[in-house]
Amino acid sequence: MSDSGEPPAAGAIRAVDVIRNKRDGHELSRAEIEYLVRGYTLGQIPDYQISAWLMAALLKGLSRAETAILTDTMLHSGEVLDLSEFSAAKIDKHSTGGVGDKTSLVLAPLAAAGGLVVPMISGRGLGHTGGTLDKLEAIPGFNVRLDAKRFREVLRACGCAMIGQTAEIAPADRLFYSLRDVTGTVESPFLICASIMSKKLAEGIDGLVLDVKTGSGAFMKTEEDAAFLAELMVETGERMGKKTVALITDMDQPLGLHVGNALEVEEILEVLRGSGPEDLRQLCLELAAWMFHLGGRATTVALGKKLAAELIQSGQALGKFRQMIALQGGDPRVVDDATLLPHAKAALDVVSSRSGYVRAIQCEAVGTACVILGGGREKKEDSVDPAVGIILHKKVHDRVAAGETLCTLMYNSEARAGLAKTLLLQSYQIADSAPPPRKLIHRIIPAVQES
Ligand code: URA
């Protein structure tokens, strides 16, 4: 805004003024937000100015109107897919990000096996959290950079496809996302809402299941903050005519036992075979159930869960995953032989110095340890090591003896392993008693009556 409070005339806008306006807590006009998003997407505004604006937006917040304009402008920075050629319901799921949060790799093939179409556009690792695209790229040959034409062909052939934001679809999010990753500007509900909803709405979906994480490994640490973000996104989805539901789920410790790209692929293969850690398996079934319910494949969530369990039991979900890997250029043999995934050269056990119960695991520190090992990025241009990560042997509530292994680091660099080990030792809190149990699913927004 100018000092008079009037929005500046189009053409008179300068990036530095938009940054100052947000820094000073003013509500930005549509013209100012469009100027920033379009200017950055076209390469006309440099990273340093957008970084400064992102930090101002994170610190000062955005109004509902600013968030809606940002989301819409990012959505229309590229093509909005028209998938009306598909008669089946088009339903997707997206998570706000966590540690060991690998459910998308189960859900896309599982939902497709149940007759839904899943046009999934995902992201890379963000901050301390892992990214679906980095996990998929751990599969030798897997191509997440399909253009819109090939994306559609894969969807036609198998009902699901998993790609990243492209130059055609949600290009603004691709650019903002990678800048936020390395500038400490992820943890804003408004920026997260615009990022997630712009790419999801570009997919041409009918419905969306949101997995909003809360706890020490989430961007929203408290349930209240997670509920605020969930409401913001559900409101945005409904405003755009999409059936939208958000599940607030626990991220106070890593999900499952594996953290790290190839390690997580290994673990989702177990889930698709009907085994795997119980928390991960239960969350996959619950999210799939909601996808089936929103997509009209199950009249109740309970029936959706039953359908999901049957599709895993029968091997159909695993078969879909194999088919999707092959269609996206990956080596489908990994489905039956996980030794074909990249493996780290060395392993290092982290042991407990005392006996007791695991009272807490500082989950963000586990994610950061994985980034330090090379499993995530510290700078935009960093490449990710798919093989490294952490295998947890003890989780919250588990009994542990002095000298017993808490977790194992899979690493390729001694120096990095040393740093990660220190962080992991600090992240485990061992006490004389176990803590009260936490629910896996905290809340559902909007609250829905089961019939
Ligand atoms: N996932 C996204 O796609 N964007 C965010 O900002 C956070 C999680």
Side-chain angles (χ1 to χ4, degrees):
M1 290 286 165
S2 64
D3 288 344
S4 67
E6 290 298 311
I13 302 174
R14 299 185 315 152
V16 65
D17 296 326
V18 186
I19 297 166
R20 290 168 63 226
N21 284 339
K22 190 36 59 191
R23 179 200 67 191
D24 296 341
H26 298 303
E27 184 172 60
L28 302 181
S29 65
R30 173 176 290 278
E32 286 175 299
I33 295 171
E34 287 178 350
Y35 173 82
L36 272 197
V37 174
R38 289 190 187 141
Y40 189 48
T41 310
L42 292 171
Q44 293 164 350
I45 302 179
D47 279 0
Y48 56 80
Q49 285 189 308
I50 297 298
S51 303
W53 181 80
L54 287 168
M55 187 55 81
L58 179 132
L59 295 174
K60 295 292 176 171
L62 299 182
S63 67
R64 285 288 210 270
E66 287 175 306
T67 307
I69 295 167
L70 181 64
T71 308
D72 291 354
T73 312
M74 287 173 67
L75 162 65
H76 293 294
S77 65
E79 189 184 333
V80 178
L81 292 177
D82 175 1
L83 298 182
S84 52
E85 66 172 285
F86 296 94
S87 54
K90 279 92 45 193
I91 308 289
D92 195 8
K93 164 265 159 192
H94 197 87
S95 158
T96 56
V99 180
D101 179 14
K102 51 195 81 76
T103 63
S104 290
L105 277 73
V106 174
L107 290 164
L110 174 54
L116 298 177
V117 171
V118 188
M120 194 179 277
I121 299 175
S122 301
R124 297 196 175 275
L126 197 56
H128 64 279
T129 69
T132 299
L133 300 180
D134 295 327
K135 294 171 208 201
L136 288 167
E137 283 182 347
I139 299 169
F142 196 100
N143 182 9
V144 297
R145 295 166 198 260
L146 307 183
D147 61 20
K149 180 168 169 284
R150 182 67 192 146
F151 186 50
R152 226 176 251 281
E153 284 167 3
V154 177
L155 280 177
R156 271 187 217 120
C158 85
C160 58
M162 301 176 81
I163 60 166
Q165 314 94 320
T166 68
E168 298 163 280
I169 310 168
D173 182 54
R174 183 164 60 128
L175 297 165
F176 276 89
Y177 191 96
S178 63
L179 198 55
R180 286 170 58 221
D181 183 27
V182 292
T183 54
T185 52
V186 175
E187 296 91 340
S188 153
F190 313 104
L191 297 178
I192 294 176
C193 172
S195 163
I196 291 179
M197 297 309 287
S198 65
K199 61 182 166 282
K200 297 288 116 177
L201 294 168
E203 291 173 346
I205 45 173
D206 303 310
L208 177 63
V209 177
L210 292 159
D211 181 4
V212 180
K213 301 291 189 192
T214 185
S216 66
F219 293 124
M220 301 294 118
K221 306 289 184 216
T222 67
E223 192 175 321
E224 286 60 43
D225 287 350
F228 179 81
L229 171 60
E231 276 158 16
L232 205 56
M233 291 196 290
V234 169
E235 241 175 65
T236 307
E238 297 288 341
R239 175 170 62 83
M240 302 299 280
K242 313 293 175 193
K243 292 183 205 165
T244 313
V245 66
L247 278 67
I248 300 188
T249 75
D250 201 52
M251 187 38 68
D252 213 38
Q253 62 173 330
L255 186 64
L257 299 172
H258 287 196
V259 179
N261 297 306
L263 289 169
E264 294 190 38
V265 174
E266 217 174 284
E267 196 166 54
I268 66 101
L269 289 173
E270 287 176 26
V271 175
L272 284 170
R273 278 197 207 94
S275 56
E278 199 48 25
D279 59 345
L280 175 61
R281 197 180 129 68
Q282 281 308 325
L283 186 58
C284 288
L285 291 176
E286 196 69 37
L287 292 168
W290 276 98
M291 292 176 80
F292 289 135
H293 185 48
L294 289 195
R297 303 286 301 152
T299 49
T300 65
V301 178
L303 285 173
K305 203 162 171 178
K306 189 161 169 278
L307 174 61
E310 284 164 6
L311 292 163
I312 289 177
Q313 201 55 40
S314 65
Q316 290 175 80
L318 189 67
K320 266 294 169 214
F321 192 48
R322 192 185 282 112
Q323 190 187 4
M324 182 184 73
I325 292 174
L327 286 163
Q328 294 200 220
D331 183 348
R333 294 175 306 158
V334 299
V335 168
D336 307 294
D337 181 3
T339 64
L340 296 170
L341 290 166
H343 283 81
K345 289 196 215 107
L348 175 68
D349 287 341
V350 177
V351 300
S352 178
S353 58
R354 59 161 291 187
S355 59
Y357 291 87
V358 180
R359 192 155 180 92
I361 300 176
Q362 216 294 331
C363 186
E364 180 169 338
V366 179
T368 304
C370 186
V371 173
I372 289 172
L373 288 173
R377 293 171 192 78
E378 296 185 58
K379 296 192 294 301
K380 259 170 84 172
E381 52 284 2
D382 283 351
S383 58
V384 162
D385 184 342
V388 298
I390 299 143
I391 299 175
L392 305 178
H393 304 290
K394 297 288 177 187
K395 289 194 56 174
V396 176
H397 291 114
D398 287 349
R399 204 166 158 50
V400 58
E404 221 183 334
T405 303
L406 297 169
C407 61
T408 302
L409 301 184
M410 311 304 295
Y411 68 95
N412 283 323
S413 146
E414 292 280 346
R416 287 170 179 259
L419 286 173
K421 181 180 172 185
T422 307
L423 205 53
L424 284 164
L425 269 175
Q426 288 165 358
S427 75
Y428 269 89
Q429 192 188 327
I430 314 291
D432 293 335
S433 60
R438 269 173 79 97
K439 285 195 282 190
L440 182 62
I441 297 169
H442 291 250
R443 242 195 259 183
I444 295 174
I445 291 173
V448 183
Q449 299 296 321
E450 257 292 306
S451 48

